[in-house]
Amino acid sequence: MGENGGIYSLAGFAYQMKVFVLQILGIKSGYTLEYETIDDVALKMTADDMDEHEDELCSILGATNRKAIQVKKTQVTRSIAKKVVKNWILADKKHHDIENFILVTDREISTDILVDLDVDEICEEVKSATGNKSIDAKIKLIGYTESELVQKIKDIVSKASIQKYEDIDAEIIEGFKDYFIK
């Protein structure tokens, strides 16, 4: 990221907040919209820590079904897609009733990027993790057997979809036009 890393990180955080705002349009009476991190680090996050924890930020939309939404304002590479799935594994462990996993981005992305992930590679990364702070180590601490982890990944990917907001500002303006006068 170089010397502009903080700016890019803040742009991703702002995009994430815009996705959250856009989700408000789907809220009905009795529903809950939450904005949190998988391990609650966002409440304590300083500007200096934002780059380190950017990938852990997660929005959860609660309704008759629960959705875990990962937001990426960056090119979603195979490596980033693996991190997204790993975040979803942790979210699924914490919230057993998640029915949909959604990856939101502002870029063109292959619809098969999640399906084409190398499950064995993910399992090997988790198995070889040390410590307890990395995402792989956190998954390892859950204690899944290799076959359980493979099945968990397959289950999550089968419930996953990708949403693209090319011009999220225009979508927010359009979505809220009946609520505000401009």
Side-chain angles (χ1 to χ4, degrees):
M1 277 197 212
E3 63 186 55
N4 293 325
I7 297 296
Y8 295 137
S9 181
L10 287 174
F13 187 69
Y15 184 74
Q16 185 177 29
M17 292 300 295
K18 290 176 182 182
V19 169
F20 180 80
V21 167
L22 200 51
Q23 296 297 317
I24 292 170
L25 292 170
I27 295 297
K28 296 182 177 131
S29 180
Y31 288 16
T32 303
L33 184 66
E34 303 168 357
Y35 186 78
E36 61 184 44
T37 62
I38 292 170
D39 54 1
D40 297 326
V41 295
L43 296 174
K44 303 176 207 168
M45 190 178 304
T46 64
D48 294 335
D49 293 332
M50 193 171 296
D51 283 345
E52 180 183 339
H53 297 291
E54 178 186 14
D55 289 328
E56 296 172 4
L57 298 173
C58 179
S59 302
I60 304 289
L61 172 65
T64 55
N65 64 353
R66 209 164 168 99
K67 300 177 185 178
I69 303 169
Q70 277 284 312
V71 180
K72 297 294 176 194
K73 185 177 172 58
T74 185
Q75 187 63 42
V76 179
T77 62
R78 201 171 73 83
S79 174
I80 290 173
K82 281 195 309 184
K83 277 186 177 177
V84 167
V85 170
K86 290 173 183 179
N87 277 322
W88 285 340
I89 292 168
L90 294 175
D92 184 69
K93 181 65 180 169
K94 188 174 179 182
H95 305 279
H96 301 291
D97 56 350
I98 298 174
E99 295 179 15
N100 302 104
F101 297 89
I102 303 168
L103 171 59
V104 176
T105 185
D106 65 339
R107 317 277 167 101
E108 287 299 324
I109 182 175
S110 167
T111 55
D112 293 331
I113 195 159
L114 298 171
V115 175
D116 291 341
L117 288 175
D118 186 340
V119 175
D120 293 331
E121 183 180 354
I122 294 171
C123 289
E124 186 56 39
E125 290 171 0
V126 169
K127 187 169 101 176
S128 63
T130 58
N132 59 7
K133 294 192 183 238
S134 73
I135 191 166
D136 292 320
K138 289 176 184 177
I139 294 170
K140 185 177 182 178
L141 289 172
I142 293 172
Y144 291 128
T145 65
E146 188 170 343
S147 63
E148 288 171 334
L149 183 56
V150 166
Q151 190 58 50
K152 179 58 66 183
I153 294 167
K154 288 179 180 180
D155 290 346
I156 287 171
V157 169
S158 75
K159 298 177 190 178
S161 62
I162 298 170
Q163 285 183 348
K164 179 184 169 205
Y165 293 119
E166 197 165 309
D167 185 354
I168 197 163
D169 293 331
E171 295 205 35
I172 290 171
I173 290 168
E174 178 64 25
F176 284 96
K177 72 180 181 186
D178 292 336
Y179 301 99
F180 300 107
I181 299 171
K182 71 173 200 172

